[in-house]
């Protein structure tokens, strides 16, 4: 898991559940491993809502009996909500964050009871969802919320996914065609790229441009910031032809895509910047959008929604909305 996350953080499932209070009514932690964890959270932390971001494959890998956990939740009066998000996939996280936050807000009234947000390790998806919730609905500035969260729990929330999702809520996110590549290196034969819009699990082959002799791939990318890395003959490496950033112990590349519309481009560029934040009127607008999503429950977003462009990637969200479930 450490290698996949690109950070120095580690998770040991055999050590059992671990968690930290972020706010008096908000906890981020690792996954529940059995019914006994429901009792522990309810009795020791006052948890009234468990909000799970795990996919079925996550639970199957660790042999977690989700039916037994949900049954115990019902027995002790703890609400159990599932909203699966794919692990190690910043784009999937970005696309699903608005509805995930809306579903969390519907299940948990701020200041009433305690919500426990978890993925598997409680290091990526769960803190990112908590961070977006604090930013969009609890009046926190993004950097202040990030500092608060990471000060309470060692984790790696994908802040760039939250910035991009914020831009999606407020601006046009129609895809832009871009070509990414690098110069051939010595006698290397295989050139690939990971990250971008496909996540770290998928490797895309680069093809040689006959005119420039560069190894390239062309993608249709929604506006936002995309981490990526090249793989040359099996070796993962960053290219200094593109901006770089340090993620834990690794150095990755970052590609920033702006909308074609100049006004939207200026708004998104501000939101994507390290110091970017919501203006008062934008915060109100985001709150209204999230409230509208909450009222839709598990209904998919319509094709005319400004939240998502009509791209293959955007089709992930309606499927997940239909899969969201709650056990009360």
């Amino acid at each position: 898991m450490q290698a996949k996350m690109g950070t120095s953080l580690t998770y040991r499932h055999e050590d059992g559940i671990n968690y930290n209070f972020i706010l008096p009514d908000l906890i981020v932690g690792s996954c529940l491993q059995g019914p006994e964890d429901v009792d522990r959270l309810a009795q020791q932390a006052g948890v009234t809502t468990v909000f799970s971001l795990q996919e079925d494959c996550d639970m199957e890998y660790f042999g977690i009996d989700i039916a037994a956990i949900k049954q115990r939740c019902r027995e002790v009066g703890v609400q159990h909500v599932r909203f699966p998000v794919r692990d190690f996939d910043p784009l999937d996280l970005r696309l699903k964050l608005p509805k995930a936050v809306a579903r969390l807000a519907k299940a948990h009234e701020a200041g009433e009871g305690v919500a426990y947000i978890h993925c598997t390790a409680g290091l990526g998806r769960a803190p990112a969802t908590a961070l977006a919730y604090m930013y969009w609905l609890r009046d926190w500035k993004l950097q202040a919320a990030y500092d608060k969260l990471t000060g309470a729990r060692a984790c790696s929330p994908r802040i760039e996914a939250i910035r991009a999702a914020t831009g999606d809520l407020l601006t046009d996110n129609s895809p832009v065609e871009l070509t990414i590549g690098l110069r051939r290196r010595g006698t290397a034969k295989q050139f690939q790229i990971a990250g971008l819009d496909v996540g770290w699990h998928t490797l895309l082959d680069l093809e040689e441009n006959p005119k420039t002799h560069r190894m390239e791939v062309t993608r249709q990318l929604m506006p936002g910031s995309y981490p990526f890395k090249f793989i040359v003959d099996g070796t993962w490496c960053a290219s200094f032809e593109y901006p770089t950033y340090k993620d834990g112990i690794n150095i990755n590349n970052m590609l920033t895509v702006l909308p074609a519309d100049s006004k939207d481009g200026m708004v998104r560029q501000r939101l994507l910047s390290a110091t970017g934040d919501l203006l008062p009127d934008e915060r109100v607008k985001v709150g209204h959008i999230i409230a509208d999503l909450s009222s839709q429950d598990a209904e998919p977003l319509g094709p005319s929604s400004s939240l998502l462009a009509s791209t293959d990637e955007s089709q992930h969200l309606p499927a997940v909305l239909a899969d969201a479930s709650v056990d009360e």
Side-chain angles (χ1 to χ4, degrees), residues 41 43 61 83 90 93 101 136 140 195 239 262 273 287 291 303 316 322:
L41 291 174
Q43 295 167 10
Y61 181 83
F83 198 99
L93 176 66
V101 169
W136 293 340
W140 284 77
S239 168
S262 59
S273 71
H316 292 306

Side-chain angles (χ1 to χ4, degrees), residues 278-299:
L278 289 168
L279 301 178
D281 61 321
E282 293 171 340
R283 188 172 292 279
V284 171
K285 184 176 180 180
V286 168
H288 288 160
I289 293 171
I290 298 299
D292 288 343
L293 290 176
S294 295
S295 66
Q296 294 175 19
D297 195 23
E299 291 300 316

Side-chain angles (χ1 to χ4, degrees), residues 50-76:
V50 172
F51 192 84
S52 171
L53 297 154
Q54 285 188 296
E55 293 187 294
D56 289 346
C57 59
D58 299 326
M59 294 178 287
E60 291 169 2
Y61 181 83
F62 287 108
I64 295 171
D65 186 349
I66 184 62
I69 291 173
K70 292 195 293 186
Q71 176 61 33
R72 188 55 183 162
C73 282
R74 287 191 290 268
E75 291 170 353
V76 300

Side-chain angles (χ1 to χ4, degrees), residues 8 18 23 29 31 39 46-47 50 116 152 162-163 168 171 176 179 196 207 219 235 246 249 260 263 265 272 280 315:
S8 58
N18 66 84
L23 299 175
C31 61
D39 294 330
V47 168
V50 172
Y116 183 90
I162 297 166
R163 291 189 177 116
D168 293 342
T171 66
V176 177
T179 297
L196 296 177
E207 301 293 338
R219 304 294 294 173
T235 300
K246 193 170 183 180
I249 60 176
K263 184 177 179 181
L272 289 176
Q315 301 310 307

